[in-house]
Amino acid sequence: MVQRQVPNPAELLDLMKFKKPEFNGKKRRLDSALTIEDLRTIAKRRTPKAAFDYTDGAAEGELSLTRARQAFQDVEFHPGILRPAPSVDTSVDILGGPSALPFGIAPTGFTRLMQTEGEVAGAGAAAAAGIPFTLSTLGTTSIEGVKAANPHGRNWFQLYVMRDREISYELTRRAAVAGFDTLQFTVDTPVAGARLRDKRNGFSIPPQLTLGTIINAIPRPWWWYDFLTTPKLEFASLSTTGGTVGELLDAAMDPTISYDDLAVIRDIWPGKIVIKGVQNVEDSMRLRDAGVDGIVLSNHGGRQLDRAPIPFHLLPEVRRAVGDDFTVMVDTGIMNGADIVAAVALGADFTLIGRAYLYGLMAGGRAGVDRTIEILRTEIERTMRLLGVASLAELEPSHVTQLTRLVPVTRTASDAVVR
């Protein structure tokens, strides 16, 4: 029979510890976020619908984004046992310089519309974490402003080729003068994708006030306070604005972009150059042979061509085709540090995060971006320990199986005949 006794108050104090209350609302909010999806939930609650949907959405039916995220979820890891990894090394050398983690911050446009600290928060967080930060041509902080926010860290610049070529050339020169070390030459945006959420929300630059946006803003006064009481948006490249994002892109971008443009930019740019938006093996090999420093396998976060190839699925075949000495990076769909580990195991030298960074930014400004990086760092380290590897160099394709949902239909010779 169980022996009962009157509870001893001293013993109860040993068994029950009351958690110290956190009075800082932002810290309490961010500490409660254990995953990037948690940050997304907070961001959605705190950001007006049009701005949140611009970040969260993709093109047309959003199949490319959905499939990219699903591809990372459809991974089976194969851990080794009795291989102690009490500490892990997450550092990597990429494009001639160091990064403390195998990911950097991807270029994002109109960032200060998501949260007013924008690229300054991203660049500052990247500097603190020892990872690269990429400024978009359509960023809302100048090249010089990002350099001031990250004076000693690694800054990269993402370049669109504009209809007015001299704009692109001048941006390239400014980034070089400011000490940016890598140029991401983006090739997947000859015209804007059909981002239907933006059209349905009437999302434009500058934001247009309607009855719907006012009603949506009522429970989010802090966003409007920040937007209205901070300096006017400063674009890295656009001198005039007005219209939807798609209209702005179509007015600025040039569908005639070609290898000739790449040659001109290479003559201007003194640092490393990578091509962003590569989506097949043949282009990967051609760019390697053309002498660029690397590529980013990307479908622009699903924001351009819907039903585009899944970058993570392309990775193993591209790595086999281009060899081990050519830099291959991956973006699109990364929501967990385990996604990054899987990409490195299958041959990626580096990865880039876009939405994950913006969810943190919208959830809590600079502190939210720090939280994004902390979450991913923790997930990377834990996954590596559980796999039994102490460094990124120890990750191999044998650690990962890509489970397949979308299997290409085999075509017969008669199917291929043009009728």
Side-chain angles (χ1 to χ4, degrees):
M1 179 176 291
V2 176
Q3 182 177 354
R4 307 260 181 205
Q5 66 182 28
V6 176
N8 185 326
E11 292 177 351
L12 288 176
L13 289 176
D14 288 335
L15 294 172
M16 295 186 295
K17 301 292 184 182
F18 290 96
K19 184 178 180 180
K20 183 180 178 181
E22 176 57 66
F23 296 104
N24 183 313
K26 179 187 289 187
K27 188 175 188 305
R28 184 171 64 249
R29 181 170 71 243
L30 294 176
D31 285 349
S32 71
L34 305 181
T35 65
I36 300 302
E37 186 61 40
D38 289 343
L39 288 175
R40 178 185 178 275
T41 299
I42 297 170
K44 186 174 183 179
R45 186 170 67 241
R46 295 186 58 83
T47 310
K49 178 177 173 58
F52 177 82
D53 277 356
Y54 170 73
T55 299
D56 194 59
E60 301 189 44
E62 305 191 356
L63 296 174
S64 289
L65 177 59
T66 300
R67 290 173 180 176
R69 286 182 173 167
Q70 188 66 60
F72 282 114
Q73 293 172 15
D74 289 346
V75 159
E76 181 178 86
F77 282 119
H78 305 292
I81 61 170
L82 301 179
R83 298 178 181 176
S87 62
V88 295
D89 181 6
T90 61
S91 65
V92 62
D93 288 326
I94 184 70
L95 295 169
S99 177
L101 293 161
F103 68 89
I105 293 180
T108 60
F110 311 109
T111 309
R112 283 189 57 216
L113 281 173
M114 310 307 107
Q115 201 273 351
T116 191
E117 297 175 57
E119 291 90 355
V120 169
I131 64 175
F133 174 83
T134 313
L135 173 64
S136 169
T137 292
L138 300 179
T140 44
T141 300
S142 69
I143 290 169
E144 294 76 17
V146 166
K147 178 64 176 179
N150 186 16
H152 306 297
R154 297 190 67 189
N155 293 311
W156 296 356
F157 186 69
Q158 175 268 331
L159 181 72
Y160 287 121
V161 174
M162 317 288 275
R163 290 180 185 272
D164 183 346
R165 294 294 197 271
E166 192 53 44
I167 294 176
S168 298
Y169 301 158
E170 180 58 23
L171 287 170
T172 304
R173 297 185 187 102
R174 282 173 56 192
V177 169
F180 284 49
D181 64 76
T182 296
L183 187 76
Q184 291 185 21
F185 185 94
T186 300
V187 296
D188 58 6
T189 316
V191 296
R195 302 172 191 179
L196 302 184
R197 288 203 216 183
D198 295 346
K199 293 182 179 180
R200 290 173 179 135
N201 290 329
F203 183 64
S204 63
I205 311 296
Q208 299 295 312
L209 294 178
T210 65
L211 178 60
T213 58
I214 293 172
I215 292 173
N216 185 256
I218 290 173
R220 301 169 178 85
W222 49 81
W223 187 92
W224 286 101
Y225 174 79
D226 283 343
F227 181 75
L228 296 173
T229 60
T230 53
K232 182 181 177 181
L233 295 182
E234 179 182 8
F235 289 87
S237 64
L238 300 179
S239 58
T240 59
T241 59
T244 66
V245 173
E247 290 168 348
L248 291 172
L249 286 173
D250 282 337
M253 304 310 163
D254 192 338
T256 68
I257 180 175
S258 70
Y259 271 83
D260 292 338
D261 293 296
L262 174 59
V264 174
I265 296 298
R266 288 186 68 187
D267 286 341
I268 297 173
W269 181 251
K272 302 289 186 179
I273 185 167
V274 298
I275 311 305
K276 184 176 184 294
V278 181
Q279 299 178 64
N280 63 56
V281 175
E282 293 75 17
D283 285 337
S284 302
M285 296 174 65
R286 184 178 180 187
L287 288 164
R288 177 204 60 188
D289 295 343
V292 301
D293 296 293
I295 57 174
V296 182
L297 298 178
S298 171
N299 62 30
H300 212 100
R303 297 166 73 81
Q304 284 299 108
L305 175 66
D306 206 10
R307 300 176 176 85
I310 300 168
F312 182 57
H313 280 176
L314 280 173
L315 175 60
E317 188 177 0
V318 167
R319 172 52 73 196
R320 287 192 295 269
V322 300
D324 294 334
D325 297 328
F326 185 62
T327 298
V328 178
M329 300 188 283
V330 177
D331 72 14
T332 304
I334 294 172
M335 289 284 284
N336 190 291
D339 302 341
I340 295 170
V341 172
V344 173
L346 290 180
D349 295 294
F350 203 63
T351 62
L352 296 168
I353 60 165
R355 287 182 179 86
Y357 142 60
L358 293 177
Y359 293 145
L361 178 68
M362 291 186 287
R366 162 64 193 275
V369 184
D370 289 333
R371 184 61 178 152
T372 290
I373 296 171
E374 181 183 358
I375 288 170
L376 293 175
R377 184 202 309 272
T378 299
E379 292 170 341
I380 289 169
E381 292 177 347
R382 181 172 58 244
T383 303
M384 290 174 65
R385 286 192 176 99
L386 290 171
L387 286 174
V389 299
S391 69
L392 296 171
E394 294 179 30
L395 289 168
E396 297 178 349
S398 60
H399 284 113
V400 175
T401 295
Q402 290 177 304
L403 306 177
T404 317
R405 296 188 186 215
L406 301 174
V407 181
V409 174
T410 302
R411 298 176 64 192
T412 65
S414 60
D415 292 332
V417 175
V418 177
R419 292 184 173 85

